[in-house]
Amino acid sequence: MTRRIKCVVAYDGTHFSGYQIQPGKRTVQGEIEEVLKRMHKGKAVRVTASGRTDAGVHAYGQVIHFDTALVLSPEQWKRALNAQLPDDIAVRSAEEADSTFHARFSAKAKEYRYKVWTAADRDVFRRHYCAWHPYPLHIGAMDEALRQLIGTHDFTSFCSAKTEMEDRIRTIYQAEVETDGSMMEFRFIGSGFLYNMVRIIVGTVLEIGQGRRSPADIAALLAAKDRRLAGPTAPAEGLYLWRVYYDDEFFAVS
Amino acid sequence: MTRRIKCVVAYDGTHFSGYQIQPGKRTVQGEIEEVLKRMHKGKAVRVTASGRTDAGVHAYGQVIHFDTALVLSPEQWKRALNAQLPDDIAVRSAEEADSTFHARFSAKAKEYRYKVWTAADRDVFRRHYCAWHPYPLHIGAMDEALRQLIGTHDFTSFCSAKTEMEDRIRTIYQAEVETDGSMMEFRFIGSGFLYNMVRIIVGTVLEIGQGRRSPADIAALLAAKDRRLAGPTAPAEGLYLWRVYYDDEFFAVS
C-alpha cells in the first residue's frame, strides 16, 4: 500500500537553476528526489510540486507531494528529509494526505511575496534576498496601481512573451505593498500566476512608484494584452513563493 | 601630497577566506586593494584595517584607512569604490581623516555581535548569517554569566590556544543578550578582543543557557587561564564585527 505525503518546503533559490529537474543542473526537485531515492533503496520517487520557480527565486512555502510505501510518521518524514537535504532546502512540515490530494491540481490559490531594498546603499547581507531599488517611490501611486490589478483579468501584458499557456485569465484576490523602514514587501494572492507575472507586475508598479508611469496606465495595459507595453521583469532574487492554499482559507486574509 | 581616507566597510564573510590578504585566496583586503590599484593606475595601495576577521565572519562596521594622492570628495570615494567592489563588500561611508588617524592603533573599543537562530527548524535564509542552536535556553542564567565577564580580566581561558598575543588582559564594557522571537543577539563592547574570544564566550554562555554549566563557572574559568576548560568555539557565521569606536562615545551605550 502506498501513502501520499505532502510537505511544505522552503528553499533559498540562490544556488539553484530553478525548481524543476534538468539534467546536469542543480535543482530543488533534483535534490529532493535524490534524497528520496536513497531512502527508497535506489528506487526513483517522483516529486510533484505546486508549480515551478525560476533560477534565483526563493520559496518559503512551496508544497510538494510524493507516494511511498515507507511507513514513517509525519515527524519522522520531516526529520529524515531534513537530515539528508542540503542546507538550502528545508522541509517545514510533512503530513499524510488523502490519495486525491495533488500539490498542483488541488491548489486553490497561491501567495507570492516580492521584497525590495529601497535604501540608497546596497546591503551586502540582503543581496540574494531582495531586489535593490534605491529610488524614491510614491507609495500612494503604487497602492492605486495594485488595487486595479485585483479581480479577474487577462494578464497577457503581464506575462513573459514565452508563456505557452493559452488561457491568460487569472484572478488576483490580494495585491498590496507594505514598507518597514527601507524594506518594501509586495504581497499577491491569486488563483494562479503566469510565467514571470509577479516580476513583471512589480517591475511595472515600481515604474509607477517612481512617477515614470501613471497608476491609471494599469487599465490600459490590461486591455492592450501586449507584454512589450508593461515594465521590465523585476529580478529573481526578490521573489518568494510564500504559500499555497488548498481550501478557501485565503479569503480570510483579504 | 597624500591624504588619508577612512572608510566604514560592510562585508558578507561567507565567501571570503577571512579579511586579511593571503596569496591565492579570496580575501576582503585583497578585493579592496585590487580596486584601489586599478584606481591608482596599477600602483599598489596598502589598506590597514582595525583588525582581521576570520573566514565566514561578517562585518557591518569594519574600519579601514589608506593613503592616496587622488583628490576625490568623500562621496566620490564611496561611489567609486562601491562601483568596482564585488557585491559582498560595500563601503558604508568614506571621509578624509587626519594623518595621525590609524584604523587599528587609534581604535578605543570594538563592538561585536553574535546572532543565533534558536528555532527548532533551521531557516534556509539565515544559514550563513546566524548560528543555529535549536535548544531551550535559560536567558536569566546567560545574563548572569555575561555580567561576570564585564570588567578587566585575563581572558586566556576565552581565547584560542593559538593566540600569539602575550597580554591577554582586556576590558569588556558591555556584554548582553537580547531575544526577538527565535532570534538571539549577543552584543559585546570591549577595549579589544583576543583571537576567537567572542566565539568562545558565546559557546560557553550557550552551554550555561542550556544548563550544562552554572553561571558561577565564569569566575572559575577566568581564574583558571586554561582554554580547555571553556566551552566550544561558536561557528563563524553568527559573528559580526559591528562597530569600531575611535573616541569615548561608546561609554554612552553601556
Side-chain angles (χ1 to χ4, degrees), chain A residues 16-112:
Chain A
F16 290 107
S17 300
Y19 171 81
Q20 195 177 40
I21 205 159
Q22 297 174 64
K25 300 278 178 87
R26 184 171 188 263
T27 64
V28 178
Q29 184 184 2
E31 295 288 335
I32 298 173
E33 292 191 355
E34 184 60 35
V35 169
L36 285 171
K37 192 175 176 181
R38 278 203 296 273
M39 290 179 69
H40 291 79
K41 303 182 176 169
K43 193 172 151 285
V45 176
R46 180 48 44 131
V47 167
T48 301
S50 72
R52 319 169 184 183
T53 53
D54 276 342
V57 172
H58 311 294
Y60 175 68
Q62 170 69 288
V63 175
I64 60 165
H65 82 254
F66 56 88
D67 293 324
T68 178
L70 291 185
V71 181
L72 294 179
S73 71
E75 196 46 48
Q76 286 173 321
W77 272 114
K78 179 178 165 180
R79 208 173 317 133
L81 290 167
N82 280 332
Q84 296 179 72
L85 284 167
D87 69 356
D88 46 1
I89 305 179
V91 172
R92 289 176 48 214
S93 67
E95 62 183 284
E96 201 172 315
D98 197 87
S99 65
T100 60
F101 173 81
H102 190 285
R104 182 166 165 215
F105 299 131
S106 304
K108 293 266 192 18
K110 276 185 182 174
E111 177 171 352
Y112 279 94

Side-chain angles (χ1 to χ4, degrees), chain A residues 10-13 15 58-60 78 81-82 85-92 121-122 124-125 127-129 240, chain B residues 10-13 15 58-60 78 82 85-92 121-122 124-125 127-129 240:
Chain A
Y11 46 85
D12 173 347
H15 302 297
H58 311 294
Y60 175 68
K78 179 178 165 180
L81 290 167
N82 280 332
L85 284 167
D87 69 356
D88 46 1
I89 305 179
V91 172
R92 289 176 48 214
D121 288 350
R122 67 195 160 80
V124 295
F125 303 110
R127 70 194 194 286
H128 296 311
Y129 306 106
Y240 294 71
Chain B
Y11 47 84
D12 173 346
H15 302 296
H58 310 294
Y60 175 69
K78 179 178 165 180
N82 281 332
L85 283 167
D87 70 356
D88 47 359
I89 306 178
V91 172
R92 291 176 46 214
D121 288 348
R122 66 195 160 80
V124 295
F125 303 111
R127 69 194 193 285
H128 295 311
Y129 306 107
Y240 294 72

Side-chain angles (χ1 to χ4, degrees), chain A residues 148-159 163 165-172 192 194 197 201 218-227:
Chain A
Q148 292 180 65
L149 290 162
I150 295 171
T152 301
H153 306 284
D154 184 317
F155 284 96
T156 299
S157 293
F158 294 96
C159 68
T163 304
M165 197 80 64
E166 283 290 309
D167 172 17
R168 280 96 181 269
I169 294 173
R170 295 292 181 276
T171 301
I172 292 191
L194 297 160
M197 180 168 148
I201 288 176
I218 293 287
L221 282 170
L222 286 168
K225 298 177 195 169
D226 184 345
R227 164 69 187 96

Side-chain angles (χ1 to χ4, degrees), chain B residues 52-72:
Chain B
R52 318 169 186 182
T53 53
D54 275 343
V57 173
H58 310 294
Y60 175 69
Q62 171 69 289
V63 175
I64 60 165
H65 82 256
F66 56 88
D67 294 324
T68 178
L70 291 186
V71 181
L72 295 179

